[in-house]
Amino acid sequence: MLRLITGIPGPSGFGSASTAEQVTEGIDATNLTAIITGGASGIGLETARVLALRRAHVIIAARNMVAANEAKQLILKDNQTARVDVMKLDLCSMKSIKDFADNFIALNIHLNILINNAGVMFCPFQLSEDGIEMQFATNHLGHFYLTNLLLDKMKDTARVTGIEGRIVNLTSVAHLHTYEEGIRFDKINDQNCYSDKKAYGQSKLANLLHANELSRRLQEEGENITVNSVHPGLITTNLMRHSARFVSMF
Ligand SMILES: NC(=O)c1ccc[n+]([C@@H]2O[C@H](COP(=O)([O-])OP(=O)(O)OC[C@H]3O[C@@H](n4cnc5c(N)ncnc54)[C@H](OP(=O)(O)O)[C@@H]3O)[C@@H](O)[C@H]2O)c1
């Protein structure tokens, strides 16, 4: 926590004050293709911008195509040779996720990096298109399903290219602040005991457990793909749309 607040570098030489450009300096990502969910704003947009700067082929997966195209234009404004595409993905709809995966696979290109970044935070109780509490549906289940649909493509890519694949789940220190039982599998949709904060924590705990278990399984299978979860720090973004008062306390 001290490092997080002060920005003191860790063993890698980087810390919470390091920028994405600093961390990726000198990297040539020409041969890499990356999907970034929620890449039209906030952390996802900065990730897309910097991966494109390092010459990766970036796919911004977004539910709002107007915002996604604006994000693409923003990246191209400073980097005219950037390879950026936008594709429709709504993580709170299983159908949209399947369509996205089918469309991506139909492109017949490699997939080296999957950044499960999109998220919603502290929203009032609501159900997804599939009838699942919105934070759990969007932050965890959507990414879980998406990752499973794209996993064979990532395994093939890693085998054919010999390049280590990467899956990154954006989680949060909020994974520590969840319901007493951790994840309430039998009460996910129970509005009576819904807490917007704990439901967010629950979904972020699920992101973390998903990364840990997938990492373990891929290692066991001998696949050349690493899976990590990351807390990105506290950054003012659109994520705070349901929590302006709460966040202003920090
Ligand atoms: N900012 C922080 O301090 C912080 C701290 C810890 C963890 N995180 C995590 O970092 C990640 C990125 O957050 P951020 O701060 O960059 O917030 P953000 O600017 O609000 O970005 C989140 C992105 O996710 C997209 N999204 C939301 N629901 C979606 C859905 N159903 N389908 C597809 N895309 C959807 C949003 O699109 P719309 O614009 O269409 O809603 C937006 O582009 C999140 O997973 C968050 O939990 C952030």
Side-chain angles (χ1 to χ4, degrees), residues 41 43 63 90-91 117 119 171 200 204 233 235 237 239 241:
S41 68
I43 296 165
R63 63 177 165 179
D90 185 347
L91 283 156
N117 160 79
T171 179
Y200 178 70
K204 291 287 134 183
I235 306 136
T237 64
L239 192 71
R241 68 185 77 168

Side-chain angles (χ1 to χ4, degrees), residues 147-165:
T147 305
N148 280 358
L149 292 173
L150 295 174
L151 204 52
D152 283 343
K153 168 57 80 179
M154 292 198 73
K155 288 178 183 177
D156 287 347
T157 300
R159 283 185 205 132
V160 170
T161 62
I163 300 170
E164 183 184 272

Side-chain angles (χ1 to χ4, degrees), residues 34-149:
I35 291 176
I36 305 163
T37 71
S41 68
I43 296 165
L45 174 54
E46 178 64 357
T47 307
R49 184 187 74 78
V50 176
L51 280 176
L53 188 66
R54 303 303 175 217
R55 300 192 191 84
H57 176 196
V58 170
I59 291 161
I60 294 178
R63 63 177 165 179
N64 180 340
M65 293 304 277
V66 174
N69 277 304
E70 282 172 5
K72 175 178 172 174
Q73 292 313 319
L74 200 72
I75 294 171
L76 286 170
K77 203 167 122 237
D78 289 334
N79 176 5
Q80 278 133 29
T81 57
R83 291 180 295 152
V84 184
D85 287 310
V86 299
M87 288 179 70
K88 173 91 178 162
L89 169 69
D90 185 347
L91 283 156
C92 58
S93 158
M94 298 290 164
K95 181 182 177 309
S96 172
I97 297 166
K98 179 74 169 73
D99 287 348
F100 172 86
D102 288 347
N103 290 336
F104 179 79
I105 288 164
L107 294 176
N108 205 18
I109 57 175
H110 290 324
L111 178 59
N112 308 91
I113 303 171
L114 172 62
I115 303 185
N116 289 323
N117 160 79
V120 286
M121 183 173 83
F122 301 170
C123 46
F125 184 85
Q126 53 189 303
L127 296 177
S128 71
E129 183 180 294
D130 307 294
I132 300 159
E133 186 281 311
M134 191 60 87
Q135 298 194 72
F136 199 72
T138 307
N139 299 353
H140 170 58
L141 282 184
H143 283 123
F144 180 85
Y145 185 40
L146 178 70
T147 305
N148 280 358
L149 292 173

Side-chain angles (χ1 to χ4, degrees), residues 172-216:
S172 166
V173 285
H175 79 270
L176 296 168
H177 304 286
T178 182
Y179 297 106
E180 213 175 305
E181 320 87 293
I183 298 174
R184 284 186 162 171
F185 286 106
D186 54 347
K187 289 185 185 162
I188 296 284
N189 286 348
D190 189 340
Q191 187 170 2
N192 293 326
C193 59
Y194 179 74
S195 151
D196 56 358
K197 316 265 176 319
K198 290 179 180 174
Y200 178 70
Q202 168 177 260
S203 72
K204 291 287 134 183
L205 176 61
N207 285 151
L208 187 154
L209 294 174
H210 173 216
N212 286 0
E213 178 58 15
L214 184 57
S215 173
R216 192 193 65 74

